[in-house]
Amino acid sequence: MVEKLDQLLLASVNNKELFHIESFEYKSLFLSSVQPDDSNARFMPCIFIEDEHAKQFITRNITKRQLSEIYQAENHVMIGKSCIINCLKYGSNEWKKANTTIESIVELGENISVSEMIQAPTVYPTNDGHYQILTGHRRFFALVFAYGFSHVAQFKVYENKPLLSKVKQFQENASREDLPQYGKLQAFLSAMREIDSLDQARLKLGDKKLTVKDKAKNLGISMGAFDNYNVLTRYPEVIEAYEKGLTNSFVGTKKIVLKIENDYKVQHDKKLLNLSDRKYIGDLIEQQLAGKKAAKKVTTTYNLKNIHSVDILKTLLFSNVADLNLELDWDNLDWNNAQSVNNALSELIATLSNQKDIDL
């Protein structure tokens, strides 16, 4: 799939085509002919139920369990006219996220039923004669809730799947204040993969790489917003925190990430971070975002105690004690074990103390 995208991008860049101008028209489509995109950050695992079944559920002529068995809806959300039924595992993060999304769908669906939808969902045709949603998943769910799965609604229909489809999805996600932050971060990562593929296609044809300003422009966001997304997506722990329900603003979380990064660089005198550094920083970020105090790192110390003779001190400072005939097994000492090393040092001091003549 990635290879195919690279080939298409290469051909488009070579032909100097514009990526954000695709042919489309507005059409009335049956909702039943439209399918969600399960790779979209706004996707919710759903199953659409027939209008008659929805009516039976509302009038209590069929139960949730019966509907779930009919549609095999375990770990899904069933959506039909005037009803949305959450069948995800009760109390799980997915169940909680779905409930939040369901509330917004119901509110939007109720508004749609009494007024026109201002912005139609966008779709493109698939090989099986159906249409797949590009943008507007929540609006599509709301249409099904308001009118039923057999209803007809207006869509913005692209002639073909847009080449930079994830970029288009991000543009919409980023412009909406009411959308979950986790979804925005996921959409950014998907969009950047397409931007990176575009960059590689340009390089193969001898063009320059896109600048940060170019990338921000392609995504439809400011340079400041682009920097926010870049910082927050550096660490999977940040994305996981938002997935689990973190509600901090992006700017607030960015300050936390940058402070922890900077403190680590200063403490360890580093300008560039390797994978091990990032893993350690990620753990610190996870702890702080979760409200936990970071565990103090245990510092390894080695101790030379009970030196009562200046001769012993001179021996330690000016002689190679490993060459002295002290009968200490240095070869088999576990130097990675601080306690073993300290025990050996104590034994060394004791042995030197018991010797009458110290040959320096």
Side-chain angles (χ1 to χ4, degrees):
M1 190 69 181
V2 174
E3 185 178 348
K4 184 179 179 181
L5 173 62
D6 290 342
Q7 292 172 351
L8 291 172
L9 285 170
L10 192 62
S12 298
V13 172
N14 192 37
N15 293 331
K16 305 299 180 184
E17 293 182 8
L18 296 177
F19 293 99
H20 303 296
I21 301 178
E22 287 96 358
S23 299
F24 66 86
E25 60 181 321
Y26 286 92
K27 290 183 179 180
S28 293
L29 304 175
F30 283 102
L31 296 179
S32 57
S33 69
V34 178
Q35 58 195 32
D37 174 11
D38 59 8
S39 69
N40 190 292
R42 295 294 296 145
F43 174 75
M44 181 172 63
C46 57
I47 292 176
F48 301 103
I49 61 179
E50 300 295 335
D51 294 352
E52 183 60 31
H53 283 143
K55 182 178 179 181
Q56 289 177 349
F57 179 77
I58 294 171
T59 57
R60 299 186 178 182
N61 289 316
I62 193 171
T63 66
K64 174 182 176 180
R65 180 187 293 270
Q66 289 171 325
L67 266 183
S68 180
E69 290 176 353
I70 291 173
Y71 288 94
Q72 298 182 337
E74 185 178 357
N75 296 322
H76 288 77
V77 175
M78 291 187 287
I79 305 178
K81 186 174 182 180
S82 301
C83 69
I84 302 183
I85 309 165
N86 190 348
C87 297
L88 293 164
K89 184 178 179 181
Y90 180 82
S92 65
N93 286 329
E94 291 74 17
W95 180 84
K96 293 175 183 177
K97 285 190 298 182
N99 274 349
T100 301
T101 303
I102 288 169
E103 289 177 6
S104 66
I105 291 172
V106 169
E107 181 180 0
L108 180 58
E110 291 174 344
N111 291 335
I112 289 174
S113 63
V114 296
S115 61
E116 291 185 2
M117 178 177 286
I118 299 175
Q119 186 178 7
T122 62
V123 299
Y124 58 88
T126 58
N127 294 331
D128 59 2
H130 287 73
Y131 297 86
Q132 183 159 304
I133 300 176
L134 180 65
T135 63
H137 279 79
R138 194 174 65 109
R139 277 167 279 156
F140 173 69
F141 295 149
L143 285 168
V144 175
F145 175 81
Y147 301 120
F149 197 42
S150 61
H151 188 72
V152 173
Q154 190 175 58
F155 290 83
K156 179 180 177 180
V157 183
Y158 284 101
E159 184 177 345
N160 298 294
K161 179 182 179 180
L163 196 54
L164 298 180
S165 58
K166 297 302 179 184
V167 170
K168 282 190 173 294
Q169 290 176 350
F170 173 79
Q171 289 170 347
E172 177 175 343
N173 279 325
S175 66
R176 298 282 300 281
E177 292 297 328
D178 60 326
L179 297 186
Q181 294 150 306
Y182 167 69
K184 291 183 179 182
L185 294 177
Q186 287 288 84
F188 176 79
L189 288 174
S190 297
M192 283 304 298
R193 282 192 283 270
E194 288 188 343
I195 294 292
D196 291 340
S197 294
L198 175 59
D199 245 351
Q200 292 302 314
R202 290 171 60 88
L203 288 174
K204 287 179 181 178
L205 294 172
D207 289 343
K208 294 181 180 180
K209 292 188 69 173
L210 295 171
T211 65
V212 173
K213 185 176 181 180
D214 292 332
K215 292 178 180 179
K217 184 178 180 181
N218 273 278
L219 294 172
I221 56 178
S222 66
M223 293 282 286
F226 183 83
D227 187 58
N228 290 345
Y229 280 107
N230 250 338
V231 172
L232 296 179
T233 53
R234 277 209 289 263
Y235 297 95
E237 291 82 2
V238 174
I239 300 175
E240 289 168 7
Y242 278 108
E243 184 181 13
K244 293 176 181 177
L246 180 68
T247 57
N248 290 6
S249 68
F250 280 171
V251 174
T253 302
K254 176 186 174 182
K255 289 180 180 178
I256 292 173
V257 171
L258 292 179
K259 183 179 187 309
I260 292 176
E261 269 189 346
N262 185 63
D263 289 349
Y264 183 89
K265 288 179 178 179
V266 171
Q267 182 181 356
H268 296 85
D269 192 24
K270 287 195 170 187
K271 292 184 178 180
L272 298 177
L273 300 173
N274 57 35
L275 290 177
S276 179
D277 296 327
R278 290 189 179 278
K279 180 65 176 71
Y280 185 76
I281 292 172
D283 290 341
L284 294 178
I285 292 171
E286 181 181 15
Q287 290 167 0
Q288 184 154 343
L289 293 179
K292 301 176 183 177
K293 290 185 178 180
K296 292 184 178 179
K297 189 175 181 179
V298 178
T299 303
T300 302
T301 57
Y302 301 97
N303 303 310
L304 287 170
K305 298 179 180 179
N306 302 321
I307 301 177
H308 302 296
S309 167
V310 69
D311 289 331
I312 293 175
L313 184 58
K314 287 180 180 179
T315 300
L316 293 173
L317 291 174
F318 304 115
S319 299
N320 184 355
V321 294
D323 292 337
L324 299 178
N325 185 22
L326 302 177
E327 298 183 356
L328 295 175
D329 190 5
W330 299 108
D331 292 334
N332 293 318
L333 177 62
D334 183 4
W335 293 96
N336 294 318
N337 187 314
Q339 185 60 50
S340 296
V341 174
N342 281 327
N343 290 339
L345 291 174
S346 297
E347 187 177 351
L348 171 64
I349 301 301
T351 302
L352 291 174
S353 297
N354 292 330
Q355 288 198 1
K356 295 180 180 180
D357 298 316
I358 301 175
D359 183 11
L360 297 180

